[in-house]
Amino acid sequence: QVQLVESGGGSVQAGGSLRLSCAASGYTYSDYCVGWFRQAPGKEREGVAVISNYGITTLAGSVKGRFTISRDSAKNTLYLQMNSLKPEDTAMYYCAASLRNGWWCSLDNNEYNYWGQGTQVTVSS
């Protein structure tokens, strides 16, 4: 049984930083596409950052230069480092895991099979 457990969310002022973590059990991050998604109230869930089994990352345009996705294979944990946070980054953040692999991974949430429970990130101006 696959379980993904996020942590690290919270409230921060604009310009601040947070690091999200997602620990997995029953699944090996380094074998597949994995990533972070977010959903703000009244909006659809959107892809933020994904990383392939080859370590190639893809980031949404709105977070490029500010967010970094990484994974620690030894700890089987996925991270999202978020810097220069903006109020528009406020959302519930979810980690997700796919059964797909390859050089590049998609930001389409329909291609991800397993989801964490989410962690709230709130950025105030």
Side-chain angles (χ1 to χ4, degrees):
Q1 182 179 358
V2 176
Q3 283 193 316
L4 307 176
V5 180
E6 300 104 332
S7 60
S11 297
V12 65
Q13 289 194 326
S17 298
L18 284 173
R19 188 176 82 154
L20 306 183
S21 301
C22 184
S25 58
Y27 182 92
T28 302
Y29 279 135
S30 57
D31 288 347
Y32 302 99
C33 293
V34 293
W36 292 94
F37 296 75
R38 68 186 180 187
Q39 187 167 20
K43 294 189 176 181
E44 292 187 353
R45 188 172 298 187
E46 63 174 356
V48 176
V50 295
I51 183 168
S52 77
N53 48 300
Y54 290 101
I56 295 174
T57 62
T58 302
L59 279 76
S62 60
V63 306
K64 279 183 180 177
R66 300 188 298 122
F67 290 13
T68 303
I69 185 172
S70 63
R71 62 171 185 247
D72 184 326
S73 297
K75 296 180 179 180
N76 206 28
T77 299
L78 184 69
Y79 301 101
L80 183 68
Q81 178 66 45
M82 305 185 293
N83 299 328
S84 302
L85 282 160
K86 304 176 180 180
E88 52 264 43
D89 294 318
T90 295
M92 185 72 79
Y93 283 71
Y94 300 89
C95 66
S98 174
L99 293 176
R100 298 171 182 257
N101 56 26
W103 286 104
W104 300 96
C105 296
S106 171
L107 287 167
D108 182 351
N109 58 21
N110 291 310
E111 296 193 6
Y112 292 79
N113 304 90
Y114 306 106
W115 294 84
Q117 81 286 354
T119 185
Q120 178 68 39
V121 171
T122 303
V123 184
S124 58
S125 57

